Amino acid sequence: MDAKKLVDFMVAEANFVIPLYQRRYAWQAKHCRRLFSDLMRILQNNIPTHFIGSIVTRTEDERGNNIIIIDGQQRLTTVSLIILAAYNAYKNGLIKSAEDEDDVKYNVNRLLGRKSHKLIPIEEDRIAYDKLFTNDEEAFKQGCGMTTNYQLFYRSIIERGDLTIDDILKAINALRFIPIELSSGDNPQLIFESLNSCGKDLEESDKVRNYLLMNLSQEDQNEYYRNYWHEIERCFDFNESKLSSFIRDYMTVQLRAIANEKELYFVFKDYCERENRSNREMLEDMLKFARIAQKVQNANWGEKAIDRVLRGLAILNYKITMPFFLAFLRYAQLNNISSEEIKEVLSTIESFLARRIFAGKPTNSLNKIFAALHNEVKRGLGKEENALFNYSYSQLLKSALLKKEGLAAFPTDEEVIEGVAQKNIYDLNTDTRYFLFDRLEAGVTLEGTTDTVEKMKNGDLSIEHIMPQHPSKEWKEELGISHGNPELEEEYNKYLHTLANLTLTAYNSEYSNRPFQAKKQGFLTKKGHAYGFDDSPIQLSKYMKTVDKWTLTELEERKKQMQELVLRLWPMIETQCPTPVEDAQVFNFSDDPQTLTGRKPISFSFRSNRVPVDNWKEFLVQVCKEVDKINPEAIPSLAANNHVFYNYKVNNNYDEVAMNCYVPNNTSIETKCNVILNLFQAATLPLGDLEVELQPKDNDSN
């Protein structure tokens, strides 16, 4: 079916009726910005046609006075809002036209209606839509999508500064759609449901595949699919969800910032167009990274020492580390980095993650850390990919990690020692417990067992409380708490779920709450002999072979042994690499706002956009404006409820951050942070998308 000009459809002598069974106009600001961006790209690159999908219609009567819009109302309504916003801006003298006023009016009326408005939304939207034609903001119906998006387009057209209404109409003239007209016998409700409710939503990977293959010749489609896309899919066992996750990680590497999962297709598309990379180049590059991801996930780099570390990291299942592994290992391939150096880098990352577990550091800051970490290291390697450098990658990596502060800091030995003593292992998720016991059981050499996790998953091994969770009378007598000693009992409980009191066994159910000597020596059951610690091959049970009781003395000694083992497995990192005084420091805004106090901002990054600032006042204002671009409803909503923002200018200490919305600028850093916290929450944006670049402490000024 051939595509048709949207303007040819809109100038038809008919009304476009949105049936009542359809939802209200629901496009969000991000959808409107994308369409407006597409229109600007049409103008800039003189693109003759731009496809916007299909519009499904049914003629209501034989004369064709009313055309029922079964599907496509969101696009048709949004285009009408753009035209109306441009026309009102023209009438208000804010943009110009090369045409006479009467010609402009004629062209707009053909599209939107002469005596009455051609588009007839459902009742609630119709009121707001009709008010927009008055060109009187005081009469507009506030708080609805129609008005909000109209104002967004109005503001965007004006702020461009170089647009004419002729430009807007020219860009819209390039829009094409597929017309689907139903016959009178078709049930529009069923058609609408089949178009919008049935079937599985496309995965982001499906959309990316279509983008890369759809516009190629049949011959190229076959070649690209067979040689590239099919091989990429094979790396992820043809699992669409895994493939979408990889594409997100791949884009995070390319953008040096976390790609938005829900907007992944558009992020990918914008990147390809901005970088002007051909489809073949993208597919070739993606395949190289996909093969690296496959090796990381399968712990199969091909070197025993490297695979051992990758295996531990795979067990830990921190997917947010993948962007760093992709970037570093691709860099290692291109620069022939030695296997020993690769192992040192991966071991450093493992130590960082393991020590954070015991130190109780949250994981919500790790995504930003690993998205930017490779590029932090590369800044020390020189501008060229093959530059000679004085320090190895691993040394520069350690320097980058040691420079981090607050919740992102590399945990100290003191933090780890305290964590081993106090950490409730049962508070950790299953993957983390697998990781810890696998590595603790294997020990510090490469000769240790490598099947601990498999045995734990199969039920052949399980975690054993040496002192049981529910001590028997015999246990209580041995512990000295049989006659009631609350303080002593509390002391024992501190150890209950810590490493000091835990090991692995194949006889967990048999051991139950039997006395320590029974667990140590073994005993007969109806099923056979239950072997004790004395005969156990489990390395974590070695100490229990050397003692005859299990009291505070033995628990304290085992605690020390576990602390020493943890520090040997995951040692504190050291580096001779100096920290340049001139280096700026980047903090994720979700890490720890307290680290911002007493520091001066240089810039902030939000969704891959870097905005320079000179002070915290400018930082607050510019962040608010960036958020307003994405969600123009958030700040007006907060201002209407007097949540820090105001819908009038109180005095000169208030700055406008959205249309008729102001924020105080003479507040403390802490207050400014709270304003941003509230704003991000209202705008339903992840705070982790915001990073601030600070001057080094030595260069900070008050």
Side-chain angles (χ1 to χ4, degrees), residues 131-150:
K131 293 288 186 183
L132 299 176
F133 282 82
T134 66
N135 197 19
D136 179 5
E137 283 206 21
E138 292 185 2
F140 290 173
K141 183 180 179 182
Q142 300 296 336
C144 64
M146 285 277 188
T147 305
T148 298
N149 289 346
Y150 164 87

Side-chain angles (χ1 to χ4, degrees), residues 236 323 346 359 419 467 491 542:
F236 304 99
L346 297 179
M467 175 181 64
E491 193 70 22
K542 270 188 172 182

Side-chain angles (χ1 to χ4, degrees), residues 256-284:
R256 305 178 186 182
I258 297 172
N260 188 325
E261 187 174 10
K262 295 182 180 179
E263 300 291 317
L264 185 56
Y265 164 70
F266 295 104
V267 170
F268 185 91
K269 175 175 174 285
D270 290 345
Y271 170 78
C272 292
E273 293 177 353
R274 184 172 65 251
E275 298 297 323
N276 196 27
R277 300 185 70 179
S278 71
N279 294 17
R280 183 188 290 274
E281 288 175 331
M282 287 298 297
L283 286 163
E284 287 177 343

